[in-house]
Amino acid sequence: DAKTTQPTSMDCAEGRAANLPCNHSTISGNEYVYWYRQIHSQGPQYIIHGLKNNETNEMASLIITEDRKSSTLILPHATLRDTAVYYCIVQMKTSYDKVIFGPGTSLSVIP
Amino acid sequence: KAGVTQTPRYLIKTRGQQVTLSCSPISGHRSVSWYQQTPGQGLQFLFEYFSETQRNKGNFPGRFSGRQFSNSRSEMNVSTLELGDSALYLCASGGDTQYFGPGTRLTVL
């Protein structure tokens, strides 16, 4: 079973911020939180990752709670091209055999 | 920098045949991982190669095998194809962060 839980689906109005939550209550101290997204039938695209501090890049921001049991991916100004399945995973760096992708959150950006 | 490339993009085979998929990682990346994605099981880890050695292996039967060459390019082979092997096969390269290719869509008839 995946070590993360995410809502099955979410809608977001175009131009608004999309806030995608993820619960990872059993995360261990050396596991990172990674976010990927997958547009239909394409390979997953890396978005962002973090250990315990909040992170920001050109695509998104990642907010990790102080106890590290949950996180939120923020797309500040969602566009139609952000419609995709978003995966939150936890992993130790380079331990890919332990990575479990759950079903993710299907985000629909509405015009 | 060019991304991860996979060939072929689409493939149709019949039961009992074998297939070889190819992956070229991002230049400089020595780790290549393979995943299988199906609607029912989602994205599942197959194996990872690093410097021509298999470093990690998922829970798949021995019909699934791979190798990596000295230039870090990798191939994945599936022998004695079954209908259930129909899937999107994804390759990823990287170190701390994985970068995925577009995938090979395999259909087994």
Short mmCIF file of all heavy atoms in Angstrom, two decimals, chain A residues 13-67:
data_model
loop_
_atom_site.label_atom_id
_atom_site.label_comp_id
_atom_site.label_asym_id
_atom_site.label_seq_id
_atom_site.Cartn_x
_atom_site.Cartn_y
_atom_site.Cartn_z
N ALA A 13 -10.50 26.64 -10.26
CA ALA A 13 -10.78 27.62 -11.31
C ALA A 13 -9.48 28.14 -11.90
O ALA A 13 -8.49 28.37 -11.19
CB ALA A 13 -11.60 28.77 -10.74
N GLU A 14 -9.49 28.31 -13.20
CA GLU A 14 -8.32 28.84 -13.89
C GLU A 14 -7.91 30.18 -13.30
O GLU A 14 -8.75 31.04 -13.04
CB GLU A 14 -8.63 28.98 -15.38
CG GLU A 14 -7.44 29.33 -16.24
CD GLU A 14 -7.79 29.42 -17.71
OE1 GLU A 14 -8.99 29.53 -18.04
OE2 GLU A 14 -6.86 29.38 -18.55
N GLY A 15 -6.62 30.34 -13.06
CA GLY A 15 -6.10 31.57 -12.49
C GLY A 15 -6.04 31.59 -10.98
O GLY A 15 -5.35 32.45 -10.40
N ARG A 16 -6.74 30.67 -10.36
CA ARG A 16 -6.71 30.61 -8.90
C ARG A 16 -5.61 29.65 -8.45
O ARG A 16 -5.08 28.87 -9.23
CB ARG A 16 -8.07 30.12 -8.37
CG ARG A 16 -9.26 30.94 -8.81
CD ARG A 16 -9.17 32.37 -8.31
NE ARG A 16 -9.30 32.46 -6.85
CZ ARG A 16 -10.47 32.66 -6.23
NH1 ARG A 16 -11.58 32.77 -6.92
NH2 ARG A 16 -10.50 32.76 -4.92
N ALA A 17 -5.29 29.71 -7.16
CA ALA A 17 -4.30 28.79 -6.61
C ALA A 17 -4.92 27.40 -6.41
O ALA A 17 -6.04 27.30 -5.93
CB ALA A 17 -3.78 29.32 -5.29
N ALA A 18 -4.19 26.40 -6.78
CA ALA A 18 -4.61 25.01 -6.53
C ALA A 18 -3.81 24.49 -5.35
O ALA A 18 -2.56 24.54 -5.38
CB ALA A 18 -4.38 24.15 -7.75
N ASN A 19 -4.51 24.03 -4.33
CA ASN A 19 -3.86 23.51 -3.13
C ASN A 19 -4.16 22.01 -3.03
O ASN A 19 -5.29 21.62 -2.77
CB ASN A 19 -4.37 24.23 -1.87
CG ASN A 19 -4.04 25.71 -1.89
OD1 ASN A 19 -2.91 26.10 -1.63
ND2 ASN A 19 -5.01 26.52 -2.23
N LEU A 20 -3.15 21.20 -3.23
CA LEU A 20 -3.34 19.75 -3.23
C LEU A 20 -2.74 19.17 -1.95
O LEU A 20 -1.53 19.24 -1.73
CB LEU A 20 -2.67 19.12 -4.45
CG LEU A 20 -3.32 19.43 -5.81
CD1 LEU A 20 -2.75 20.69 -6.41
CD2 LEU A 20 -3.15 18.27 -6.76
N PRO A 21 -3.58 18.56 -1.11
CA PRO A 21 -3.09 18.02 0.16
C PRO A 21 -2.60 16.58 0.02
O PRO A 21 -3.01 15.84 -0.88
CB PRO A 21 -4.33 18.09 1.05
CG PRO A 21 -5.47 17.86 0.09
CD PRO A 21 -5.05 18.48 -1.22
N CYS A 22 -1.75 16.20 0.96
CA CYS A 22 -1.23 14.83 1.00
C CYS A 22 -0.94 14.48 2.46
O CYS A 22 -0.31 15.26 3.17
CB CYS A 22 0.04 14.73 0.16
SG CYS A 22 0.81 13.09 0.18
N ASN A 23 -1.42 13.33 2.88
CA ASN A 23 -1.11 12.83 4.21
C ASN A 23 -0.07 11.73 4.14
O ASN A 23 -0.18 10.81 3.32
CB ASN A 23 -2.38 12.29 4.88
CG ASN A 23 -3.31 13.40 5.30
OD1 ASN A 23 -2.86 14.42 5.80
ND2 ASN A 23 -4.59 13.21 5.09
N HIS A 24 0.92 11.82 4.98
CA HIS A 24 1.99 10.81 5.04
C HIS A 24 2.39 10.65 6.49
O HIS A 24 3.52 10.93 6.89
CB HIS A 24 3.19 11.19 4.15
CG HIS A 24 3.44 12.66 4.01
ND1 HIS A 24 4.07 13.42 4.97
CD2 HIS A 24 3.12 13.50 3.01
CE1 HIS A 24 4.16 14.65 4.56
NE2 HIS A 24 3.58 14.76 3.38
N SER A 25 1.44 10.15 7.29
CA SER A 25 1.61 10.10 8.74
C SER A 25 2.71 9.15 9.19
O SER A 25 3.19 9.26 10.31
CB SER A 25 0.29 9.74 9.42
OG SER A 25 -0.16 8.50 8.94
N THR A 26 3.09 8.18 8.35
CA THR A 26 4.12 7.20 8.76
C THR A 26 5.49 7.52 8.16
O THR A 26 6.37 6.67 8.16
CB THR A 26 3.70 5.78 8.35
OG1 THR A 26 3.55 5.74 6.92
CG2 THR A 26 2.38 5.38 9.01
N ILE A 27 5.67 8.72 7.70
CA ILE A 27 6.94 9.09 7.07
C ILE A 27 8.07 8.97 8.09
O ILE A 27 7.92 9.29 9.27
CB ILE A 27 6.85 10.52 6.50
CG1 ILE A 27 8.06 10.82 5.63
CG2 ILE A 27 6.70 11.54 7.63
CD1 ILE A 27 7.93 12.13 4.85
N SER A 28 9.20 8.45 7.65
CA SER A 28 10.34 8.33 8.55
C SER A 28 11.27 9.52 8.37
O SER A 28 11.15 10.28 7.40
CB SER A 28 11.09 7.02 8.29
OG SER A 28 11.57 7.00 6.97
N GLY A 29 12.20 9.65 9.31
CA GLY A 29 13.01 10.86 9.37
C GLY A 29 13.86 11.14 8.16
O GLY A 29 14.16 12.30 7.87
N ASN A 30 14.25 10.09 7.44
CA ASN A 30 15.11 10.30 6.28
C ASN A 30 14.37 10.19 4.95
O ASN A 30 15.01 10.06 3.91
CB ASN A 30 16.29 9.32 6.31
CG ASN A 30 15.83 7.89 6.42
OD1 ASN A 30 14.63 7.62 6.51
ND2 ASN A 30 16.75 6.95 6.41
N GLU A 31 13.07 10.22 5.01
CA GLU A 31 12.28 10.17 3.78
C GLU A 31 11.87 11.57 3.34
O GLU A 31 11.48 12.39 4.16
CB GLU A 31 11.04 9.30 3.95
CG GLU A 31 11.34 7.81 3.99
CD GLU A 31 10.08 6.97 4.12
OE1 GLU A 31 9.21 7.33 4.93
OE2 GLU A 31 9.98 5.94 3.41
N TYR A 32 11.97 11.79 2.06
CA TYR A 32 11.59 13.04 1.47
C TYR A 32 10.17 12.95 0.92
O TYR A 32 9.70 11.86 0.57
CB TYR A 32 12.53 13.40 0.31
CG TYR A 32 13.92 13.81 0.75
CD1 TYR A 32 14.81 12.87 1.27
CD2 TYR A 32 14.34 15.13 0.66
CE1 TYR A 32 16.08 13.25 1.67
CE2 TYR A 32 15.61 15.51 1.05
CZ TYR A 32 16.47 14.57 1.56
OH TYR A 32 17.73 14.94 1.96
N VAL A 33 9.54 14.09 0.77
CA VAL A 33 8.24 14.17 0.10
C VAL A 33 8.49 14.66 -1.33
O VAL A 33 9.10 15.72 -1.53
CB VAL A 33 7.28 15.13 0.81
CG1 VAL A 33 5.94 15.18 0.07
CG2 VAL A 33 7.08 14.69 2.26
N TYR A 34 8.06 13.88 -2.29
CA TYR A 34 8.20 14.23 -3.70
C TYR A 34 6.81 14.40 -4.32
O TYR A 34 5.89 13.67 -3.98
CB TYR A 34 8.93 13.12 -4.47
CG TYR A 34 10.43 13.10 -4.34
CD1 TYR A 34 11.04 12.61 -3.20
CD2 TYR A 34 11.24 13.57 -5.37
CE1 TYR A 34 12.43 12.59 -3.09
CE2 TYR A 34 12.61 13.56 -5.28
CZ TYR A 34 13.21 13.06 -4.13
OH TYR A 34 14.58 13.04 -4.03
N TRP A 35 6.73 15.31 -5.24
CA TRP A 35 5.50 15.49 -6.02
C TRP A 35 5.83 15.36 -7.50
O TRP A 35 6.79 15.95 -8.01
CB TRP A 35 4.87 16.85 -5.75
CG TRP A 35 4.13 16.93 -4.46
CD1 TRP A 35 4.65 17.20 -3.23
CD2 TRP A 35 2.72 16.77 -4.25
NE1 TRP A 35 3.66 17.20 -2.27
CE2 TRP A 35 2.46 16.95 -2.87
CE3 TRP A 35 1.64 16.49 -5.11
CZ2 TRP A 35 1.18 16.85 -2.34
CZ3 TRP A 35 0.37 16.40 -4.57
CH2 TRP A 35 0.14 16.59 -3.19
N TYR A 36 5.01 14.58 -8.17
CA TYR A 36 5.07 14.43 -9.62
C TYR A 36 3.66 14.66 -10.17
O TYR A 36 2.67 14.54 -9.45
CB TYR A 36 5.50 13.02 -10.04
CG TYR A 36 6.93 12.68 -9.72
CD1 TYR A 36 7.30 12.21 -8.46
CD2 TYR A 36 7.91 12.80 -10.70
CE1 TYR A 36 8.62 11.89 -8.19
CE2 TYR A 36 9.23 12.46 -10.44
CZ TYR A 36 9.57 12.02 -9.18
OH TYR A 36 10.87 11.69 -8.91
N ARG A 37 3.57 14.97 -11.43
CA ARG A 37 2.27 15.00 -12.08
C ARG A 37 2.36 14.26 -13.42
O ARG A 37 3.42 14.16 -14.02
CB ARG A 37 1.77 16.41 -12.29
CG ARG A 37 2.49 17.21 -13.36
CD ARG A 37 1.90 18.61 -13.44
NE ARG A 37 2.53 19.42 -14.47
CZ ARG A 37 2.24 20.70 -14.67
NH1 ARG A 37 1.34 21.31 -13.90
NH2 ARG A 37 2.85 21.37 -15.63
N GLN A 38 1.21 13.77 -13.84
CA GLN A 38 1.16 13.01 -15.08
C GLN A 38 -0.05 13.47 -15.89
O GLN A 38 -1.19 13.35 -15.44
CB GLN A 38 1.07 11.51 -14.80
CG GLN A 38 1.18 10.66 -16.05
CD GLN A 38 1.27 9.18 -15.73
OE1 GLN A 38 0.80 8.72 -14.70
NE2 GLN A 38 1.90 8.41 -16.62
N ILE A 39 0.28 14.00 -17.04
CA ILE A 39 -0.77 14.36 -17.99
C ILE A 39 -1.06 13.11 -18.81
O ILE A 39 -0.15 12.35 -19.13
CB ILE A 39 -0.31 15.55 -18.85
CG1 ILE A 39 -0.09 16.76 -17.94
CG2 ILE A 39 -1.32 15.86 -19.96
CD1 ILE A 39 0.59 17.94 -18.60
N HIS A 40 -2.29 12.94 -19.16
CA HIS A 40 -2.78 11.69 -19.76
C HIS A 40 -1.81 11.08 -20.75
O HIS A 40 -1.41 11.71 -21.71
CB HIS A 40 -4.12 11.95 -20.43
CG HIS A 40 -4.74 10.71 -21.00
ND1 HIS A 40 -5.10 9.64 -20.21
CD2 HIS A 40 -5.01 10.35 -22.27
CE1 HIS A 40 -5.60 8.69 -20.98
NE2 HIS A 40 -5.55 9.08 -22.23
N SER A 41 -1.42 9.82 -20.43
CA SER A 41 -0.61 8.99 -21.32
C SER A 41 0.81 9.49 -21.52
O SER A 41 1.52 9.00 -22.40
CB SER A 41 -1.27 8.83 -22.69
OG SER A 41 -2.46 8.09 -22.56
N GLN A 42 1.23 10.46 -20.73
CA GLN A 42 2.63 10.89 -20.79
C GLN A 42 3.37 10.38 -19.57
O GLN A 42 2.76 9.90 -18.62
CB GLN A 42 2.72 12.42 -20.85
CG GLN A 42 2.07 13.03 -22.08
CD GLN A 42 2.23 14.55 -22.08
OE1 GLN A 42 3.10 15.11 -21.42
NE2 GLN A 42 1.37 15.22 -22.84
N GLY A 43 4.68 10.49 -19.55
CA GLY A 43 5.45 10.10 -18.38
C GLY A 43 5.28 11.12 -17.27
O GLY A 43 5.03 12.29 -17.51
N PRO A 44 5.37 10.66 -16.01
CA PRO A 44 5.27 11.61 -14.89
C PRO A 44 6.34 12.69 -14.99
O PRO A 44 7.45 12.45 -15.42
CB PRO A 44 5.49 10.71 -13.67
CG PRO A 44 5.08 9.35 -14.11
CD PRO A 44 5.49 9.28 -15.55
N GLN A 45 5.95 13.88 -14.55
CA GLN A 45 6.85 15.02 -14.57
C GLN A 45 7.19 15.40 -13.14
O GLN A 45 6.28 15.60 -12.31
CB GLN A 45 6.18 16.20 -15.29
CG GLN A 45 6.99 17.48 -15.32
CD GLN A 45 6.21 18.67 -15.83
OE1 GLN A 45 4.98 18.68 -15.81
NE2 GLN A 45 6.91 19.68 -16.32
N TYR A 46 8.46 15.53 -12.83
CA TYR A 46 8.87 15.96 -11.50
C TYR A 46 8.44 17.40 -11.26
O TYR A 46 8.55 18.26 -12.15
CB TYR A 46 10.39 15.85 -11.38
CG TYR A 46 10.97 16.59 -10.19
CD1 TYR A 46 10.88 16.05 -8.91
CD2 TYR A 46 11.59 17.82 -10.34
CE1 TYR A 46 11.41 16.73 -7.82
CE2 TYR A 46 12.12 18.50 -9.26
CZ TYR A 46 12.02 17.95 -8.00
OH TYR A 46 12.54 18.62 -6.93
N ILE A 47 7.92 17.67 -10.05
CA ILE A 47 7.52 19.02 -9.72
C ILE A 47 8.44 19.61 -8.65
O ILE A 47 9.08 20.65 -8.87
CB ILE A 47 6.05 19.08 -9.21
CG1 ILE A 47 5.10 18.53 -10.26
CG2 ILE A 47 5.68 20.51 -8.84
CD1 ILE A 47 3.66 18.39 -9.77
N ILE A 48 8.51 18.95 -7.50
CA ILE A 48 9.22 19.53 -6.38
C ILE A 48 9.41 18.47 -5.31
O ILE A 48 8.71 17.45 -5.31
CB ILE A 48 8.42 20.75 -5.82
CG1 ILE A 48 9.29 21.65 -4.96
CG2 ILE A 48 7.18 20.27 -5.06
CD1 ILE A 48 8.61 23.00 -4.66
N HIS A 49 10.37 18.66 -4.42
CA HIS A 49 10.50 17.76 -3.28
C HIS A 49 11.05 18.52 -2.09
O HIS A 49 11.63 19.62 -2.25
CB HIS A 49 11.37 16.54 -3.61
CG HIS A 49 12.84 16.82 -3.68
ND1 HIS A 49 13.44 17.40 -4.79
CD2 HIS A 49 13.83 16.60 -2.79
CE1 HIS A 49 14.74 17.50 -4.58
NE2 HIS A 49 15.02 17.03 -3.38
N GLY A 50 10.88 17.92 -0.92
CA GLY A 50 11.38 18.57 0.29
C GLY A 50 11.50 17.57 1.42
O GLY A 50 10.90 16.51 1.41
N LEU A 51 12.26 17.96 2.43
CA LEU A 51 12.46 17.11 3.61
C LEU A 51 11.63 17.63 4.78
O LEU A 51 10.79 16.92 5.32
CB LEU A 51 13.93 17.06 3.98
CG LEU A 51 14.30 16.15 5.16
CD1 LEU A 51 13.97 14.70 4.82
CD2 LEU A 51 15.77 16.31 5.52
N LYS A 52 11.89 18.85 5.19
CA LYS A 52 11.09 19.41 6.28
C LYS A 52 10.83 20.89 6.12
O LYS A 52 9.91 21.43 6.71
CB LYS A 52 11.76 19.13 7.62
CG LYS A 52 13.19 19.62 7.73
CD LYS A 52 13.77 19.20 9.09
CE LYS A 52 15.22 19.64 9.19
NZ LYS A 52 15.80 19.24 10.50
N ASN A 53 11.64 21.54 5.32
CA ASN A 53 11.42 22.96 5.09
C ASN A 53 10.51 23.17 3.89
O ASN A 53 10.42 22.33 3.01
CB ASN A 53 12.75 23.67 4.84
CG ASN A 53 13.68 23.59 6.03
OD1 ASN A 53 13.23 23.71 7.16
ND2 ASN A 53 14.95 23.37 5.76
N ASN A 54 9.83 24.29 3.88
CA ASN A 54 9.02 24.63 2.72
C ASN A 54 9.94 24.90 1.54
O ASN A 54 11.04 25.42 1.70
CB ASN A 54 8.14 25.85 3.03
CG ASN A 54 7.17 25.58 4.15
OD1 ASN A 54 6.85 24.43 4.44
ND2 ASN A 54 6.73 26.63 4.79
N GLU A 55 9.48 24.54 0.37
CA GLU A 55 10.27 24.68 -0.84
C GLU A 55 9.45 25.38 -1.90
O GLU A 55 8.23 25.22 -1.97
CB GLU A 55 10.73 23.32 -1.36
CG GLU A 55 11.55 22.48 -0.40
CD GLU A 55 12.96 23.00 -0.20
OE1 GLU A 55 13.40 23.86 -1.01
OE2 GLU A 55 13.62 22.56 0.77
N THR A 56 10.14 26.13 -2.75
CA THR A 56 9.48 26.81 -3.87
C THR A 56 10.38 26.72 -5.09
O THR A 56 11.60 26.86 -4.98
CB THR A 56 9.20 28.29 -3.54
OG1 THR A 56 8.27 28.35 -2.46
CG2 THR A 56 8.59 29.01 -4.73
N ASN A 57 9.77 26.46 -6.23
CA ASN A 57 10.51 26.56 -7.49
C ASN A 57 9.61 27.25 -8.51
O ASN A 57 8.54 27.78 -8.17
CB ASN A 57 11.03 25.20 -7.96
CG ASN A 57 9.93 24.20 -8.27
OD1 ASN A 57 8.77 24.58 -8.47
ND2 ASN A 57 10.28 22.93 -8.29
N GLU A 58 10.02 27.21 -9.76
CA GLU A 58 9.26 27.93 -10.77
C GLU A 58 7.91 27.31 -11.06
O GLU A 58 7.05 27.93 -11.67
CB GLU A 58 10.08 28.02 -12.07
CG GLU A 58 10.34 26.69 -12.75
CD GLU A 58 11.51 25.93 -12.13
OE1 GLU A 58 12.07 26.40 -11.13
OE2 GLU A 58 11.85 24.84 -12.67
N MET A 59 7.71 26.10 -10.63
CA MET A 59 6.44 25.43 -10.90
C MET A 59 5.46 25.52 -9.75
O MET A 59 4.25 25.67 -9.95
CB MET A 59 6.67 23.95 -11.21
CG MET A 59 7.31 23.66 -12.54
SD MET A 59 7.44 21.89 -12.83
CE MET A 59 5.72 21.42 -13.01
N ALA A 60 5.98 25.37 -8.53
CA ALA A 60 5.06 25.21 -7.40
C ALA A 60 5.77 25.51 -6.09
O ALA A 60 6.98 25.71 -6.04
CB ALA A 60 4.53 23.78 -7.38
N SER A 61 4.95 25.50 -5.03
CA SER A 61 5.47 25.57 -3.67
C SER A 61 5.04 24.33 -2.92
O SER A 61 3.96 23.78 -3.18
CB SER A 61 4.94 26.82 -2.95
OG SER A 61 5.43 27.99 -3.55
N LEU A 62 5.88 23.90 -2.00
CA LEU A 62 5.60 22.74 -1.17
C LEU A 62 5.63 23.18 0.28
O LEU A 62 6.66 23.70 0.74
CB LEU A 62 6.62 21.63 -1.42
CG LEU A 62 6.54 20.40 -0.54
CD1 LEU A 62 5.20 19.70 -0.67
CD2 LEU A 62 7.69 19.43 -0.87
N ILE A 63 4.52 22.97 0.96
CA ILE A 63 4.43 23.30 2.38
C ILE A 63 4.35 21.99 3.15
O ILE A 63 3.43 21.19 2.94
CB ILE A 63 3.18 24.15 2.68
CG1 ILE A 63 3.11 25.37 1.74
CG2 ILE A 63 3.18 24.58 4.14
CD1 ILE A 63 4.27 26.33 1.88
N ILE A 64 5.30 21.76 4.04
CA ILE A 64 5.34 20.55 4.86
C ILE A 64 5.08 20.96 6.30
O ILE A 64 5.71 21.88 6.82
CB ILE A 64 6.71 19.84 4.74
CG1 ILE A 64 6.99 19.49 3.27
CG2 ILE A 64 6.73 18.57 5.60
CD1 ILE A 64 8.38 18.90 3.04
N THR A 65 4.14 20.26 6.95
CA THR A 65 3.83 20.60 8.33
C THR A 65 5.02 20.31 9.23
O THR A 65 5.90 19.49 8.90
CB THR A 65 2.61 19.81 8.83
OG1 THR A 65 2.86 18.40 8.68
CG2 THR A 65 1.37 20.18 8.02
N GLU A 66 5.00 20.93 10.38
CA GLU A 66 6.15 20.80 11.28
C GLU A 66 6.38 19.35 11.72
O GLU A 66 7.52 18.91 11.87
CB GLU A 66 5.95 21.70 12.51
CG GLU A 66 7.21 21.87 13.35
CD GLU A 66 7.06 22.98 14.38
OE1 GLU A 66 6.14 23.81 14.23
OE2 GLU A 66 7.86 23.00 15.34
N ASP A 67 5.28 18.62 11.92
CA ASP A 67 5.43 17.20 12.31
C ASP A 67 5.68 16.30 11.11
O ASP A 67 5.84 15.08 11.27
CB ASP A 67 4.21 16.72 13.10
CG ASP A 67 2.92 16.76 12.28
OD1 ASP A 67 2.99 17.03 11.06
OD2 ASP A 67 1.85 16.54 12.85
#
